[in-house]
């Protein structure tokens, strides 16, 4: 996980963002809410998937729980997964496995990998993000 961050990633984002702006809704608040809730999904998934590897609990303690949204101009992102600098380095070896002399030494943990990058996780996040924007539009319309 080179830059373990999450951004808005659902089809039609630009259209919904435009509608929300047009209605006078707060795009920034909707964006932050969608990203924070998305990060909570990953945190929950990762917390469940790391359980079989809890010998020292250091890697578990490195799961990112502070879902502060960072803005760079008009781009928002939130950190997810493991804090590599603070005990999360083993997560890389667990997710991708290791080899010794070309032979697998530790098999990759697909559940842990999928907790962050899996199709189901991405699908769940896209659905949630769209729901957050749909709700923000409804609220802006006064419904």
């Amino acid at each position: 996980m080179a830059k373990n961050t999450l951004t808005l990633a659902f089809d039609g984002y630009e259209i919904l963002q435009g509608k929300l702006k047009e209605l006078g809704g707060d795009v920034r608040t909707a964006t932050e809410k969608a990203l924070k809730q998305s990060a909570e999904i990953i945190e929950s998934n990762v917390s469940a998937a790391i359980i079989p590897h809890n010998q020292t609990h250091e890697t578990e303690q490195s799961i990112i729980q502070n879902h502060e949204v960072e803005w760079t101009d008009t781009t928002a992102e939130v950190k997810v997964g493991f804090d590599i600098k603070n005990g999360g380095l083993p997560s890389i070896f667990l997710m991708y496995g290791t080899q010794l002399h070309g032979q697998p030494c530790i098999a990759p943990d697909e559940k842990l990998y999928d907790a962050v990058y899996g199709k189901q996780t991405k699908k769940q996040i896209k659905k949630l993000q769209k729901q957050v924007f749909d709700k923000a539009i409804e609220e802006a319309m006064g419904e």
Side-chain angles (χ1 to χ4, degrees), residues 72-102:
T72 307
D73 296 322
T74 58
T75 303
E77 59 186 24
V78 64
K79 292 182 175 153
V80 295
F82 296 91
D83 184 346
I84 303 302
K85 294 179 182 177
N86 293 309
L89 185 61
S91 68
I92 295 171
F93 301 110
L94 293 170
M95 282 189 206
Y96 296 98
T98 62
Q99 292 187 359
L100 182 62
H101 304 293

Side-chain angles (χ1 to χ4, degrees), residues 24 27 45 52 61 63 72 76 83 109:
V27 174
N45 291 350
Q61 292 170 359
I63 295 171
T72 307
D83 184 346
D109 184 334

Side-chain angles (χ1 to χ4, degrees), residues 41-138:
I41 289 172
I42 291 178
E43 178 187 344
S44 175
N45 291 350
V46 168
S47 294
I50 196 68
I51 290 172
H53 306 288
N54 279 340
Q55 293 177 359
T56 65
H57 296 278
E58 286 183 38
T59 306
E60 179 184 30
Q61 292 170 359
S62 73
I63 295 171
I64 296 172
Q65 297 175 353
N66 177 14
H67 305 301
E68 197 65 36
V69 177
E70 296 176 16
W71 288 87
T72 307
D73 296 322
T74 58
T75 303
E77 59 186 24
V78 64
K79 292 182 175 153
V80 295
F82 296 91
D83 184 346
I84 303 302
K85 294 179 182 177
N86 293 309
L89 185 61
S91 68
I92 295 171
F93 301 110
L94 293 170
M95 282 189 206
Y96 296 98
T98 62
Q99 292 187 359
L100 182 62
H101 304 293
Q103 300 298 315
C105 187
I106 297 175
D109 184 334
E110 292 179 24
K111 288 182 183 179
L112 187 58
Y113 180 88
D114 288 345
V116 180
Y117 301 109
K119 281 184 180 180
Q120 286 301 99
T121 300
K122 288 180 181 181
K123 185 177 178 181
Q124 187 179 11
I125 287 171
K126 285 179 182 184
K127 181 178 177 182
L128 173 115
Q129 290 177 350
K130 186 172 181 326
Q131 288 173 343
V132 168
F133 269 81
D134 286 342
K135 185 174 182 185
I137 290 170
E138 286 177 17

